[in-house]
Amino acid sequence: MAQHNHVQRKALLALAMVALGGFAASAQADQLADIKKAGVVKVATFDANPPFGAVDAKTHEIVGYDVDFAKALAKSLGVKLELVATNPANRIPLLQSGKADLIVADITITPERAQVIDFSTPYFVTGQQFLVPAKSPDKLDDYSRARIGAVKGTTGEQALHQRYPSARVMAYDDIPLALTALRNGNVQAITQDSTILAGLLAGAPDKASFKILPDLLSKEEIGVGVKKGETALLKAVNDELVNLEKNGEASRIYDTWFGPSTQTPQPRSFTIEAK
């Protein structure tokens, strides 16, 4: 008899667990369902950080690399897109307070941020690169004992000290000053974020005298921010990002903002892959 009671108790316990589990699932809002029901997705994006997101002087609309991805995501969800202008400090609070459903605002995936929000697979990859005279070596390791220019207080300056303890790191107030030092031969290389270097080189009258080395000194992966625990929404975002890579749309968006004829020309050194 005791055995029978024990089995009954276990069965009741299992039923209670199922009921509780069901309750927990319904209490946890499904943001993907809510977005589809509302017919609109609210996306936090920059309005003053070209080429990711900035106000177009002619149309007064926010345009950029991030905006094109936000449009594609909204289209795949079958809803209208509502852009919520943000700056770096506001991105995560907007998401957590529900004022935005997604962050598509050049947000680097870091372990600290990943404790607070969830990230999609990266849809943009950038990092520190070297700008050197055209005839200089192509490998980063050839500069381990060089004089290298960086901008004061940047991650680039820190990365140089870590990677090249034997190099002489020269810190400058801004990137044009570092370029002048490279022109004068005071340094053998300068480092900065790849997009900034591309823009700097594009605007230089003597750009044929220099080259950007292909290898990244450090790598920064940019992802779409999603509220913690919204697994259905995160999956929908990831599926669409991979789909955009497969159908060539991701590469086309990249060329619109970073292709050869843009202000910040930079070869695409990554592909969007499933996590």
Side-chain angles (χ1 to χ4, degrees):
M1 191 64 190
Q3 178 65 32
H4 178 66
N5 265 347
H6 179 65
V7 171
Q8 240 180 343
R9 264 212 316 274
K10 273 186 84 169
L12 275 170
L13 194 66
L15 269 171
M17 292 299 282
V18 169
L20 273 172
F23 176 73
S26 62
Q28 161 75 49
D30 178 0
Q31 212 178 348
L32 179 60
D34 292 346
I35 289 166
K36 291 194 167 177
K37 200 168 146 191
V40 63
V41 62
K42 297 179 301 231
V43 177
T45 192
F46 284 140
D47 59 353
N49 184 18
F52 291 95
V55 177
D56 183 309
K58 289 195 192 84
T59 64
H60 304 296
E61 286 181 1
I62 302 175
V63 297
Y65 182 83
D66 285 340
V67 179
D68 285 351
F69 272 93
K71 284 178 180 168
L73 289 168
K75 190 178 164 191
S76 76
L77 296 171
V79 297
K80 284 216 251 334
L81 172 63
E82 184 186 315
L83 293 176
V84 182
T86 188
N87 60 30
N90 274 344
R91 291 175 295 191
I92 290 174
L94 281 173
L95 185 71
Q96 289 179 316
S97 65
K99 290 192 175 79
D101 303 309
L102 299 171
I103 301 171
V104 188
D106 190 23
I107 189 165
T108 302
I109 301 167
T110 67
E112 298 77 31
R113 286 174 181 157
Q115 288 177 351
V116 187
I117 64 172
D118 286 334
F119 282 103
S120 73
T121 190
Y123 67 98
F124 186 79
V125 179
T126 182
Q128 301 291 135
Q129 281 181 302
F130 274 13
L131 179 70
V132 300
K135 293 184 175 65
S136 297
D138 281 332
K139 284 274 162 268
L140 287 182
D141 288 343
D142 291 331
Y143 297 86
S144 60
R145 294 181 176 281
R147 288 193 311 280
I148 308 167
V151 179
K152 269 183 202 142
T154 58
T155 48
E157 186 189 4
Q158 294 156 12
L160 285 177
H161 285 296
Q162 285 160 5
R163 177 148 178 180
Y164 301 122
S166 307
R168 278 193 63 197
V169 179
M170 319 289 281
Y172 298 93
D173 282 336
D174 60 34
I175 196 74
L177 286 173
L179 180 59
T180 302
L182 186 66
R183 279 196 183 105
N184 298 344
N186 295 351
V187 292
Q188 276 99 46
I190 61 174
T191 186
Q192 185 41 297
D193 204 67
S194 52
T195 42
I196 294 171
L197 281 187
L200 179 74
L201 192 56
D206 53 351
K207 61 176 172 231
S209 310
F210 303 101
K211 64 182 176 183
I212 294 173
L213 301 188
D215 295 334
L216 294 176
L217 178 69
S218 66
K219 191 168 157 192
E220 291 195 12
E221 296 184 323
I222 310 299
V224 175
V226 180
K227 207 170 182 180
K228 273 262 173 242
E230 293 294 346
T231 46
L233 182 57
L234 184 61
K235 185 185 183 303
V237 168
N238 278 333
D239 289 350
E240 179 55 12
L241 289 175
V242 171
N243 179 46
L244 290 170
E245 182 66 50
K246 282 186 183 145
N247 67 21
E249 183 65 12
S251 178
R252 197 192 62 72
I253 294 173
Y254 185 92
D255 282 343
T256 304
W257 302 100
F258 299 99
S261 59
T262 62
Q263 289 290 303
T264 46
Q266 190 184 331
R268 191 171 189 251
S269 60
F270 65 92
T271 53
I272 300 170
E273 287 157 12
K275 266 186 172 174

